[in-house]
Amino acid sequence: EDQVTQSPEALRLQEGESSSLNCSYTVSGLRGLFWYRQDPGKGPEFLFTLYSAGEEKEKERLKATLTKKESFLHITAPKPEDSATYLCAVFGNQFYFGTGTSLTVIP
Amino acid sequence: DGGITQSPKYLFRKEGQNVTLSCEQNLNHDAMYWYRQDPGQGLRLIYYSQIVNDFQKGDIAEGYSVSREKKESFPLTVTSAQKNPTAFYLCASSTRDRGYYGYTFGSGTRLTVV
């Protein structure tokens, strides 16, 4: 059965303290893995798409990587404005969303 | 700028009442979707439509209804048969093959039963 698991559920970081969020997946025929950022009370906002193992994408303090079983969202020297919920989604036969990681960056 | 507009942002429903959530997109996307988001749960698919005048049930369609009379519009009605409607509702759209961005989301409607 296709599924997506994100960990940790919540993460608190001091400003400047780098860390990684994990998205583990099992899917038949991966057609894309997506990362979104969601602020409270708003819709998810697109960050990255990864298509194949070994692929990496970067945007400001964020870097997404992909293996055959999982993806990591690395956050380097985070700032308070990076606080949000980060959602992972995989597209195989259907689109499957993880439950998200709630990130809080403390000044 | 192209995007998806959901309205209203907040909606209150009385017991036994039907309410309709609006979703309009000007991205020229063929496909549109309705998701429900509850705390601690992933997004759950309610209904989707890949073409005008056609739509399919998702994983949790009971108590909901939709229409797709125009490419730009995909309203969701929460009927009195939905026993636990309090949630955050997200509308999304995409190209038919989901493309590079996967989904483009609206800003959501928070529905509360009073």
Side-chain angles (χ1 to χ4, degrees):
Chain A
E1 179 181 316
D2 296 351
Q3 62 180 7
V4 181
T5 304
Q6 289 189 249
S7 62
E9 288 186 15
L11 182 62
R12 290 172 63 90
L13 299 173
Q14 290 292 133
E15 184 172 0
E17 180 186 1
S18 301
S19 187
S20 297
L21 282 56
N22 178 261
C23 173
S24 299
Y25 65 90
T26 55
V27 65
S28 302
L30 180 69
R31 294 162 66 181
L33 184 143
F34 302 85
W35 283 98
Y36 295 89
R37 169 189 171 131
Q38 186 175 21
D39 292 302
K42 297 189 178 181
E45 181 181 318
F46 172 82
L47 291 174
F48 302 108
T49 307
L50 301 166
Y51 292 106
S52 58
E55 190 173 0
E56 299 182 352
K57 295 276 179 69
E58 286 189 67
K59 179 181 180 180
E60 297 180 355
R61 295 177 292 282
L62 299 177
K63 179 180 178 180
T65 62
L66 180 65
T67 72
K68 290 186 177 180
K69 295 184 178 180
E70 58 191 351
S71 176
F72 291 94
L73 184 65
H74 306 279
I75 302 176
T76 301
K79 299 182 177 181
E81 53 262 42
D82 294 322
S83 297
T85 295
Y86 291 85
L87 296 174
C88 170
V90 295
F91 182 32
N93 293 323
Q94 298 183 51
F95 224 83
Y96 297 94
F97 284 90
T99 54
T101 294
S102 176
L103 174 65
T104 304
V105 182
I106 304 163
Chain B
D1 287 340
I4 298 181
T5 301
Q6 288 188 244
S7 63
K9 187 172 176 63
Y10 299 99
L11 186 59
F12 297 91
R13 191 193 93 166
K14 295 180 180 179
E15 294 285 349
Q17 189 178 47
N18 293 354
V19 291
T20 298
L21 285 61
S22 172
C23 178
E24 304 275 337
Q25 56 100 357
N26 61 1
L27 299 164
N28 198 32
H29 283 169
D30 289 313
M32 297 187 74
Y33 312 82
W34 275 105
Y35 281 91
R36 170 177 173 146
Q37 189 174 37
D38 295 283
Q41 298 194 43
L43 275 66
R44 292 184 290 168
L45 182 63
I46 304 172
Y47 268 99
Y48 66 99
S49 168
Q50 294 185 307
I51 196 169
V52 174
N53 292 323
D54 187 49
F55 48 83
Q56 308 296 327
K57 292 182 179 180
D59 300 320
I60 57 166
E62 185 175 351
Y64 300 97
S65 66
V66 294
S67 62
R68 187 90 185 275
E69 298 177 0
K70 300 187 299 181
K71 186 175 183 177
E72 303 79 14
S73 179
F74 192 41
L76 173 74
T77 296
V78 184
T79 75
S80 57
Q82 171 50 239
K83 297 307 179 188
N84 185 24
T86 295
F88 190 55
Y89 290 86
L90 286 163
C91 180
S93 71
S94 75
T95 55
R96 202 171 296 188
D97 65 355
R98 315 298 168 103
Y100 180 74
Y101 298 102
Y103 294 155
T104 300
F105 286 91
S107 56
T109 292
R110 184 164 299 279
L111 174 63
T112 303
V113 174
V114 296

